[in-house]
Amino acid sequence: EEAGKAMAAAITDAEVAGRRPITLVGFSLGAAVIFHALQELYKTGKFHAVQSVVLMGAPALMHWTAPDGEAEADVSQWTKARAVVSDRFVNCYSKNDWVLGVFMRKMDWSEQVAGLSPINIEGVENVDCSDLIVRHTDYATKVRQILELAEAFR
């Protein structure tokens, strides 16, 4: 979360980021930092500071468990993140990413993780990268192919 706050501050600092459109691309924990940065931009009212976002293998939760044990959609966090992105918001996931699945289950967080499945939030595009990603570390070596598959620069 702290890294996300630092990223949000850098994005909104004209001396650091300039005044050009910003596209954020990240995988794994980098995607989580981006997600937290978007939350911070929302909190501070910095809408449309980011043009596009591509999250790959993101360990971002889709659901959380309420104190009564019921799973509830964490729609508000995704809606807030989407609100600060002026153009495309892409979630790239792989059903084969067992490392992310095991990690998230071990942390007892959720079986519904953005990096493992599509998310049903208006304005978020989902790209299934299962044919490219066999294991979590594949994201690092297949960024170009994933961005082409997602048509990230159309």
Side-chain angles (χ1 to χ4, degrees):
E1 288 182 37
E2 292 303 313
K5 288 179 182 179
M7 178 182 275
I11 288 169
T12 57
D13 184 341
E15 289 184 28
V16 174
R19 300 210 183 277
R20 290 175 271 165
I22 296 173
T23 296
L24 300 173
V25 177
F27 85 93
S28 192
L29 293 178
V33 170
I34 291 170
F35 191 75
H36 286 294
L38 297 174
Q39 301 298 316
E40 187 64 22
L41 290 169
Y42 183 90
K43 283 182 201 172
T44 59
K46 306 294 185 193
F47 295 94
H48 307 296
V50 175
Q51 180 176 344
S52 299
V53 169
V54 179
L55 303 180
M56 299 178 283
L61 301 178
M62 304 224 343
H63 296 85
W64 62 281
T65 304
D68 62 4
E70 292 293 315
E72 296 184 15
D74 196 8
V75 173
S76 65
Q77 297 302 316
W78 285 93
T79 303
K80 290 174 183 176
R82 180 63 185 101
V84 299
V85 178
S86 60
D87 193 18
R88 296 182 68 209
F89 192 123
V90 182
N91 171 48
C92 299
Y93 66 93
S94 174
K95 298 172 188 169
N96 303 324
D97 191 346
W98 62 270
V99 170
L100 183 59
V102 168
F103 174 74
M104 296 303 282
R105 285 180 190 87
K106 182 164 179 54
M107 298 303 291
D108 197 29
W109 284 339
S110 174
E111 292 186 24
Q112 294 292 317
V113 180
L116 297 173
S117 60
I119 57 174
N120 188 22
I121 301 293
E122 186 176 340
V124 177
E125 302 171 43
N126 293 290
V127 177
D128 186 349
C129 298
S130 299
D131 290 341
L132 291 172
I133 304 302
V134 176
R135 55 192 154 273
H136 194 67
T137 56
D138 288 344
Y139 284 105
T141 60
K142 298 194 177 174
V143 172
R144 178 181 300 241
Q145 293 148 292
I146 294 167
L147 294 175
E148 288 172 356
L149 180 65
E151 299 178 352
F153 301 107
R154 60 177 174 182

